Amino acid sequence: MTTKLRVYAIDGIVPVVDPTAYVHPSAVLIGDVIVGPDCYVGPCASLRGDFGRLILERGANLQDTCVMHGFPGTDTVVEENGHIGHGAVLHGCRIRRNALVGMNAVIMDNAIVGESSIVAASAFVKAGAEIPPRVLVAGMPAKVIRELSDEEIRWKGEGTATYQDLTRRSLATMVETAPLTAVEADRKRIHMPDVVPLVELRKKEG
């Protein structure tokens, strides 16, 4: 069974989704939205291109319940390999290549998150802020905490690659279905042994 995407034109402007991207059917795309190759858009994400343009560049992911929006005449952009965690809000901002925005963070108008930087979960990046490359920022408002290590940037890249793989898995195998009424004997698990949280990775190495 296939489910129709929730995609809406406004003022004659129709969202664009590259055939190699995966957009969950519960996500909503309105108007001037451009989803590039190999992108992942998660369940219940809202991309409202009814004022400004919204762009996800190659390999970016926008996870479940994220919101993208912007003022008229603006572009809200997640550049190549950008990684936007669950519940984040992006409004009229630019997320540079390979940057990560943590869960429930808010990035405001005209803010720029530098290449390969990480915005911590629940951080608030105020309007007009310019986050340098390769740093960790946290707080309300967000401030630079420290530079990122090569290990942390490598870990971020591996996490984004996992979502790019999820794009391919979703395109190939995700289908709408009815739930089972009981747990099967010997129930399968999702098998992803190479995906390890950074905190666990450090425990193993330490």
Side-chain angles (χ1 to χ4, degrees):
M1 184 189 313
T2 58
T3 302
K4 185 178 178 182
L5 295 179
R6 299 167 71 185
V7 176
Y8 303 89
I10 189 169
D11 296 337
I13 300 174
V14 179
V16 177
V17 178
D18 187 273
T20 63
Y22 177 77
V23 176
H24 191 275
S26 66
V28 177
L29 278 58
I30 299 172
D32 197 359
V33 177
I34 302 169
V35 178
D38 305 319
C39 289
Y40 174 86
V41 177
C44 300
S46 174
L47 293 84
R48 277 185 49 212
D50 47 14
F51 289 176
R53 177 168 293 175
L54 313 180
I55 303 170
L56 297 180
E57 294 186 357
R58 179 182 294 274
N61 67 74
L62 187 80
Q63 297 171 23
D64 33 313
T65 74
C66 287
V67 174
M68 283 185 77
H69 196 236
F71 284 111
T74 66
D75 289 358
T76 304
V77 182
V78 181
E79 293 185 4
E80 183 175 359
N81 294 335
H83 189 109
I84 313 301
H86 318 290
V89 177
L90 309 181
H91 202 279
C93 57
R94 179 174 287 266
I95 312 303
R96 294 286 190 196
R97 185 180 182 278
N98 201 46
L100 182 152
V101 174
M103 294 180 276
N104 290 317
V106 176
I107 318 295
M108 291 298 294
D109 300 278
N110 299 321
I112 298 173
V113 175
E115 181 173 342
S116 298
S117 282
I118 294 178
V119 177
S122 297
F124 178 81
V125 177
K126 64 183 181 180
E130 294 193 21
I131 307 301
R134 296 177 62 98
V135 297
L136 170 67
V137 299
M140 302 176 68
K143 296 180 180 178
V144 175
I145 304 300
R146 57 175 174 81
E147 293 186 358
L148 292 170
S149 67
D150 290 342
E151 176 202 32
E152 288 168 321
I153 292 173
R154 183 171 58 253
W155 170 82
K156 183 272 162 194
E158 291 169 353
T160 301
T162 300
Y163 267 88
Q164 291 164 352
D165 182 60
L166 177 59
T167 296
R168 294 185 287 271
R169 289 169 55 211
S170 298
L171 287 170
T173 71
M174 189 177 291
V175 293
E176 188 175 1
T177 187
L180 301 174
T181 58
V183 178
E184 319 97 293
D186 301 321
R187 181 176 173 83
K188 288 172 55 178
R189 288 183 177 270
I190 302 293
H191 187 63
M192 302 178 68
D194 297 328
V195 181
V196 181
L198 186 58
V199 63
E200 294 298 328
L201 190 63
R202 286 177 170 163
K203 284 180 185 177
K204 290 180 181 179
E205 293 174 348

